[in-house]
Amino acid sequence: MPLIPGTRLGAYEVTAQIGEGGMGQVFRARDTRLDRDVAIKILPKAFAHDADRLARFQREARTLASLNHPNIAAIYGLEERAGVAALVMELVEGEDLSQRIARGAIPLDEALSIAKQIADALDAAHEQGVIHRDLKPANIKVRPDGTVKVLDFGLAKAVDPAGGVPGLSQSPTVTTPAMTHAGTILGTAAYMSPEQARGKTVDKRADIWAFGCILYEMLAGRAAFARSTMPDTIAAVLEREPEWAALPTDTPDRASRLLRRCLDKDARKRARDIGDVRAELEEAAERAAVRDGGVRSRSGTSLRWAAAALLAGAFVAAVWLLWWRTPATVGERSVQFLLSIAEQAAGSVGGAVPTPSPDGRMLTFIAGNSRGTTNVWVRALDSLQARALAGTEGAAGAVAWSPDSRWIAFFADGRLKKISPEGGTAQTVAVIQGFQDAAWGSGGALVYRAMNRAAMYVVPEGGGAARPITKLDASRKENSHRFPQFLPDGRRFLFTARSSERENNALYVASIDSTEVRRLMPAQSRVTYVPGVSGRAGTLLFYQDGALMTQAFDLASMTLQGEPASIFNGISYVTASIQAGFRASSDGGTVIVEQAGASDDLLTWFGRDGAALGTVGPRGDYMQPRISPAGDRVAFTKPDPQNGNRDIWYMDLARETEARLTLNGANDWFPTWSSDGRQILFDSDRDGGERPYLKKSLDLAGEEEPVAGGVTGPWDWSRDGKWILMSGNGAIWLQHLGTGDKPFQFLATPFLESGGRFSPDGKWIAYLSNETGRSEVYVRPFTGAPAGEGRIQISTGGGDFPVWRPDGLELFYMAPDSALYAVSAKNLGALATPVAPVRLFKACPNTLPFDPPETRQPFGWPFDTHDGQRFLVNCLVQPVGLYVVLLNPLAASASTLALPAR
C-alpha cells in the first residue's frame, strides 16, 4: 500500500512526504477526526512484513508513549492497516538544529536556552530509564517560537533505572537500522565518545560527552571533532582536543570549564551526572545575564540527557568508509572499530562475512533468518538499510563480486547464478556442485572451490562448463585448495593449499591460463594482495600465529620482498571451511577480522522449563557436544585458536576437567560415543582428505583404529555397535561394521536428506529432509536394509538436530528460532501420526549471566541430553557475526592495534 498524497490510513489522510530515515519514511497527514496536521512515520514496504523489524517499530511507539514532556515530540497512536505499520506523531514545524547551526554560531543566551530545553527532555527520558541513542542536531527541532522538540526516539532502548550491570546493549557494535538487535546502538561519528571508539562498555558519561559536542557546536558554529573523512573524525575523537579558541570570547569561564569536563577523553575524569552539568550550565547563564545587565529566567529543570546512540552510529558511518577505494583518504592513520552484520546472519550458511564491492559502494553477504530461509543481502554504503535480493532464496556457500561491481555471483539450487545488486532476475551461469570460496577476475572467469575438500575450478563468467584449474598434491597430503584471490591482471590468482600435514600448508599463485602453480610461502589462511599506492610496492596480508601479518610482494617477479611484519595482534583463527576468520578487500587495504572471542561458547544446562541450571567449564570454542551414555562426560570438537585445526576433546562433567583425545595435524570432528562409553568414533581429513573414520579409546592406551567411512559424519553409532549412520551427497548412508562392506544408501530422494540418529531400540532413524522447502525432522523404520515405505514428519514449522530420549519415549529437536521442542514417540510402532510438538524453551535466552547469548548451530548438533530432563546447550557468549574492522591497516603497528578485551 503506497503512501502518496490522498492515501487514507485510518482517520489520517496523507498530504506529502516530508522525510526519510533509517527506520522509515515520514509523511505529513491530516487527522480528519481532530482536524489537525500530524506526522506519520512508516516502515518501508520491504520491512513491513518482517516480524523482527515490526517489533522494533512497535517498541518505538511504546517508548515514545512513555515520554510525556513538552520538549519531546508526542505520539498520538500506532496504526496497522493493509500491511503498513504507522506511528502517528506530533508534527513539529520549524528547522532542525543542524540547519540553524549551518547559518553560523548561535548567540550564547539562545544556545543556553536551547541546551536547557534539550536537557529537560532528556532528563524526563532518563527518569523513565530511557536513553535517546541517536541524539544529534538533526534530531532536535526548534520551532519559530523558540520551543525545542527532541525527535526520533526510534533508537531508544529502555535501561535499568536502578543502574543494572550493562550488557551488550551498550557495547560498541555496528549494523543498519533494518538489522539492529540486542547489543546494537547507532548514532553519528562526530558525537561519539572515546570509550566507544575503543570498544569499551559505555554508560551515561557517554551521554555527557555527546552533550558537550552539541553545546560546543552551537557556540562555535562548527563541530568539535568532525573532519573531512570518517577515519579522521574518529581519530580526532580519540586523539585531538576541540579547538577551544573557536569559542566566542564572551563565553563565561564556567561554561568553558563545563565543556572541558564534558569532553574529557578519560571517562573517569568526565562529569558523571548530567544534573551536575545542568547546575553548572544554569550558573553560567546567570552570570552571563548579570554581566550583560539583564536577567535570564531559570527553567528549573536538570541537564540530564541521552546521547549514547550517537556513539554507535559513528561506527555505521565509519563502516561506510571501509570500502572507499583509496587508502590515502584515511591518511597515515589506521583506525579500528566493531561491525555487526546483524541478527539475520545468525543462521547464515557460511557466507556471513560481509564482502565489499570493488567500487567500495556496497557490501553483500548471505544470511538466514528465523524462518529458516537464506538470501543474498546487499547494503549500499550510502544507506542505513540492508535488503535481501528476491530470487536468491536458498543461497549457500559464498558470494563473489564482478570486477565492475555490477553483478554478484552466488550458488543456489545446484547452479551458479548471478544477479544485479539492484535486484532483478537471477541468471544461471553454470550447473556446478557447489560454491565455497570464490573470486571473480577481470579476465572474465570465476575461480571457486566447489566443496569443503576439493581443488579449484574455473568457469567463464558468461556461462559454460566448469573445469579443474588446480589439482590436489597427494604427495603433500593436500586435502583442499581454498581462498582464491585474483591479482590485478585478472588472470593470475592466489590460493591456499591445506594439508593434513601442517608443514605442507602453503600459499600458491596460479593462472586461469595454466594448471601450473608456484609456491610462495607457508600459510594457512586467506591471503590478500593490496595494491601499492604513492609508489609503494604491493603487499600481502595474511594470518599467522594469532596476528595479521604483512609482507611486500613484487608483481613483476612474483616474489616476496623483505620480512613479514605483524600489524594486528590478538586474532583467533576461525575454521576456514565455514568462511569466517579474516576477509580482506583487494582495494584500499581494508580488512575485516573476526573479533577475538566472537566464537566463544559456554556449555549451559537447561531444565525442561528453560531455567538455566548452570554452566560447564570455562568459555571456549565447543562444537558438536555429545554426552556419553553414562552421562558423566561430554565429547566435543575444539579448534586450535592459532591455526584452526580441529581435534576431539572430552570433559568430565563432575570435575569440569578437559582432556584431549586426538593430536594429529589433520582436522578431526564429529565425535560419537560407543555404547559402553569407552571409545569415541570420529571423522578426519587425514591422508589427503580421504576421510577415514577412526575410533580411539579414552584411556589412550591403544592406537587409533581406522573404520571405513567416507561421507559426512559419523552422525551416530548404534547401541549394538554394528552400524554407523552418516550422510553425503544429499542422502543418508549406513555402514555395517565387521562385515567389510562399503557404506550403502539408506535413503536417497530428489530432496536433500542429512544428519540422523538411531532410536535407542535401533528400530528407527530420525533424520532431516528439505522436501517441504525447509528443513524438517522425520523418522523412518530401520531394518538393516535401505529404507522402505513409511515415514513420519515429526517437526512442524522447521526443525533440526533430532535427539532421542535415552528410553526412546520422546524425540527432541531445535526449531529455526533456537527453541527446543519435544514430541512423544510412543506411537511410532504403529506408524501413527505423533502428537503435536510441544515447545519446551528457547535455548540461551537472556536469563544467563551473559547478554545476549545465542545458540550456535554449526554443522553438528548444538545440544544434547542424557535423561530428557536436562539439556546441555552450546550457547554463544557473543552474537554471531561480530567483526573488528581495520581501516588502512598498513599504517598500523602491532603495538598500536589490538582487539578489544573481552
Side-chain angles (χ1 to χ4, degrees):
M1 178 181 174
L3 290 192
I4 59 176
T7 299
R8 290 291 295 266
L9 189 65
Y12 305 99
E13 182 177 344
V14 173
T15 58
Q17 182 173 346
I18 57 177
E20 185 167 1
M23 272 300 296
Q25 299 168 301
V26 183
F27 297 84
R28 177 191 291 266
R30 189 69 179 171
D31 184 340
T32 59
R33 289 175 300 190
L34 300 178
D35 196 27
R36 61 180 175 181
D37 286 335
V38 298
I40 291 183
K41 184 177 185 179
I42 70 165
L43 280 176
K45 182 179 179 181
F47 301 155
H49 301 291
D50 187 300
D52 293 335
R53 296 184 182 121
L54 185 58
R56 184 172 182 268
F57 196 59
Q58 292 167 335
R59 185 175 72 246
E60 176 178 5
R62 290 193 297 270
T63 301
L64 274 173
S66 71
L67 304 177
N68 183 16
H69 192 275
N71 294 121
I72 296 176
I75 177 173
Y76 297 146
L78 181 65
E79 294 283 336
E80 294 182 59
R81 302 285 180 88
V84 173
L87 187 64
V88 184
M89 300 180 297
E90 175 185 359
L91 178 66
V92 182
E93 305 286 2
E95 61 184 358
D96 66 48
L97 191 55
S98 68
Q99 294 170 317
R100 173 63 184 86
I101 295 173
R103 299 201 304 271
I106 299 177
L108 177 64
D109 56 349
E110 183 182 352
L112 294 180
S113 174
I114 291 172
K116 286 188 288 183
Q117 292 183 70
I118 297 170
D120 284 346
L122 294 165
D123 183 42
H126 274 201
E127 288 297 322
Q128 297 196 41
V130 177
I131 58 176
H132 185 288
R133 301 176 69 84
D134 195 25
L135 188 71
K136 55 190 175 187
N139 276 341
I140 300 168
K141 280 242 182 168
V142 183
R143 293 197 320 199
D145 64 0
T147 300
V148 171
K149 292 279 187 176
V150 179
L151 310 176
D152 201 355
F153 277 78
L155 301 178
K157 179 180 176 64
V159 296
D160 182 0
V165 179
L168 286 179
S169 63
Q170 289 121 331
S171 70
T173 61
V174 178
T175 184
T176 68
M179 296 159 31
T180 51
H181 56 94
T184 301
I185 54 180
L186 301 175
T188 302
Y191 307 91
M192 66 186 294
S193 67
E195 58 266 30
Q196 184 79 15
R198 295 189 174 96
K200 297 181 178 179
T201 301
V202 298
D203 55 25
K204 63 183 180 181
R205 291 171 295 181
D207 295 357
I208 295 172
W209 170 278
F211 174 78
C213 291
I214 295 175
L215 180 56
Y216 176 96
E217 191 169 343
M218 286 195 291
L219 294 174
R222 57 193 290 184
F225 300 103
R227 301 294 186 269
S228 60
T229 68
M230 195 60 59
D232 287 336
T233 299
I234 296 174
V237 169
L238 292 173
E239 304 170 5
R240 302 283 187 265
E241 287 292 313
E243 188 175 342
W244 298 113
L247 293 172
T249 55
D250 63 346
T251 303
D253 290 342
R254 186 178 291 270
S256 296
R257 289 194 301 270
L258 170 67
L259 280 173
R260 291 177 184 272
R261 289 186 64 203
C262 291
L263 296 177
D264 195 312
K265 297 185 187 299
D266 188 342
R268 296 170 298 180
K269 299 178 181 178
R270 196 178 308 150
R272 290 179 175 270
D273 192 281
I274 200 68
D276 295 338
V277 174
R278 180 189 176 282
E280 291 283 334
L281 188 64
E282 288 191 332
E283 186 69 24
E286 246 180 27
R287 295 197 177 195
V290 171
R291 180 193 63 195
D292 293 340
V295 179
R296 293 187 175 94
S297 65
R298 301 183 61 174
S299 67
T301 60
S302 70
L303 254 205
R304 215 176 285 194
W305 62 286
L310 297 171
L311 310 175
F315 292 92
V316 172
V319 172
W320 292 4
L321 186 70
L322 285 182
W323 295 278
W324 289 6
R325 299 195 62 177
T326 308
T329 60
V330 297
E332 296 302 317
R333 184 181 299 109
S334 183
V335 179
Q336 64 170 325
F337 50 90
L338 302 184
L339 166 68
S340 172
I341 61 172
E343 189 174 12
Q344 288 98 334
S348 65
V349 187
V353 179
T355 303
S357 60
D359 65 7
R361 298 179 183 277
M362 295 169 283
L363 64 92
T364 185
F365 54 89
I366 294 175
N369 55 39
S370 61
R371 295 180 297 277
T373 60
T374 59
N375 284 88
V376 175
W377 288 70
V378 173
R379 177 181 145 190
L381 297 178
D382 59 359
S383 170
L384 291 179
Q385 298 172 356
R387 53 192 170 84
L389 295 181
T392 64
E393 289 76 13
V399 291
W401 285 98
S402 63
D404 59 7
S405 302
R406 295 178 58 196
W407 298 95
I408 300 169
F410 67 98
F411 177 78
D413 304 322
R415 290 170 172 79
L416 173 61
K417 302 180 181 183
K418 66 178 183 180
I419 191 170
S420 167
E422 301 302 320
T425 302
Q427 303 177 22
T428 296
V429 176
V431 177
I432 61 176
Q433 290 181 295
F435 196 61
Q436 296 290 327
D437 317 308
W440 194 332
S442 58
L446 289 103
V447 171
Y448 66 96
R449 175 170 58 109
M451 58 193 69
N452 192 20
R453 288 165 191 82
M456 294 289 181
Y457 285 76
V458 62
V459 63
E461 64 182 15
R467 61 180 173 84
I469 194 64
T470 65
K471 182 179 180 181
L472 297 178
D473 188 339
S475 68
R476 301 176 64 84
K477 295 188 177 181
E478 292 178 352
N479 54 52
S480 68
H481 291 165
R482 55 185 66 196
F483 306 144
Q485 296 285 333
F486 272 100
L487 293 170
D489 62 13
R491 311 295 292 181
R492 293 176 295 180
F493 62 93
L494 304 170
F495 74 90
T496 302
R498 292 198 63 182
S499 168
S500 57
E501 296 180 345
R502 294 180 185 176
E503 62 271 18
N504 289 331
N505 294 322
L507 173 68
Y508 290 84
V509 63
S511 171
I512 63 174
D513 302 312
S514 169
T515 57
E516 298 297 321
V517 299
R518 177 177 177 180
R519 189 176 190 272
L520 295 180
M521 67 176 181
Q524 190 175 335
S525 81
R526 187 181 308 274
V527 179
T528 294
Y529 175 80
V530 179
V533 293
S534 303
R536 292 181 293 185
T539 305
L540 295 184
L541 289 168
F542 55 96
Y543 168 90
Q544 180 176 294
D545 298 330
L548 179 63
M549 308 292 291
T550 181
Q551 188 165 5
F553 181 70
D554 181 66
L555 276 179
S557 63
M558 302 298 289
T559 58
L560 295 164
Q561 307 290 314
E563 296 296 324
S566 170
I567 62 169
F568 189 72
N569 293 324
I571 301 174
S572 177
Y573 186 95
V574 179
T575 308
S577 64
I578 58 172
Q579 292 285 358
F582 95 74
R583 290 291 296 265
S585 73
S586 58
D587 285 330
T590 299
V591 180
I592 300 175
V593 183
E594 178 167 349
Q595 180 190 4
S599 60
D600 275 3
D601 310 323
L602 196 56
L603 293 174
T604 306
W605 286 111
F606 291 92
R608 286 180 71 102
D609 60 356
L613 306 178
T615 60
V616 177
R619 291 184 180 186
D621 205 345
Y622 304 104
M623 303 170 66
Q624 306 159 344
R626 194 72 181 266
I627 299 175
S628 65
D632 58 344
R633 296 184 178 96
V634 59
F636 49 88
T637 301
K638 187 175 183 178
D640 186 310
Q642 295 300 311
N643 56 44
N645 281 49
R646 297 173 223 134
D647 283 292
I648 305 299
W649 292 65
Y650 63 93
M651 181 189 300
D652 184 299
L653 290 173
R655 296 184 298 162
E656 299 190 10
T657 55
E658 293 183 6
R660 186 171 178 171
L661 185 72
T662 64
L663 301 169
N664 192 279
N667 285 300
D668 301 319
W669 62 102
F670 292 105
T672 306
W673 292 93
S674 62
S675 59
D676 61 7
R678 295 182 180 180
Q679 293 180 311
I680 292 178
L681 179 70
F682 59 92
D683 194 358
S684 178
D685 65 0
R686 303 180 194 189
D687 299 326
E690 291 300 320
R691 303 202 59 156
Y693 289 176
L694 300 110
K695 60 182 179 180
K696 190 171 184 178
S697 172
L698 265 62
D699 61 15
L700 305 180
E703 296 293 325
E704 294 173 346
E705 180 181 342
V707 178
V711 289
T712 304
W715 295 113
D716 205 5
W717 191 357
S718 63
R719 282 192 177 182
D720 60 12
K722 296 179 179 180
W723 294 95
I724 297 176
L725 192 155
M726 45 203 162
S727 61
N729 300 321
I732 305 293
W733 295 72
L734 290 169
Q735 178 159 16
H736 193 282
L737 299 182
T739 64
D741 295 337
K742 293 183 178 180
F744 66 88
Q745 286 185 341
F746 168 73
L747 178 64
T749 75
F751 308 104
L752 297 178
E753 277 80 30
S754 63
R757 291 284 179 96
F758 291 109
S759 63
D761 61 9
K763 295 180 179 180
W764 302 90
I765 289 178
Y767 65 97
L768 307 176
S769 176
N770 71 342
E771 63 180 86
T772 65
R774 61 187 173 194
S775 177
E776 299 281 6
V777 177
Y778 296 82
V779 295
R780 284 182 180 266
F782 172 58
T783 62
E789 296 296 325
R791 56 124 172 79
I792 303 171
Q793 182 175 334
I794 296 295
S795 62
T796 58
D800 283 295
F801 317 118
V803 173
W804 294 89
R805 202 167 86 176
D807 59 11
L809 296 180
E810 283 184 303
L811 184 60
F812 307 101
Y813 67 89
M814 183 174 285
D817 65 352
S818 298
L820 261 67
Y821 283 77
V823 176
S824 172
K826 295 179 181 179
N827 298 324
L828 288 181
L831 277 179
T833 301
V835 296
V838 175
R839 181 184 173 101
L840 298 182
F841 60 91
K842 181 176 173 61
C844 309
N846 290 347
T847 56
L848 298 179
F850 39 87
D851 182 20
E854 301 174 26
T855 302
R856 161 166 288 190
Q857 298 187 9
F859 50 94
W861 272 241
F863 79 98
D864 201 4
T865 182
H866 174 251
D867 55 11
Q869 302 303 312
R870 296 199 311 161
F871 299 83
L872 190 62
V873 186
N874 195 19
C875 290
L876 281 178
V877 177
Q878 298 191 44
V880 175
L882 187 63
Y883 299 91
V884 172
V885 180
L886 299 183
L887 298 178
N888 196 19
L890 299 183
S893 66
S895 61
T896 60
L897 286 178
L899 287 167
R902 298 199 291 273

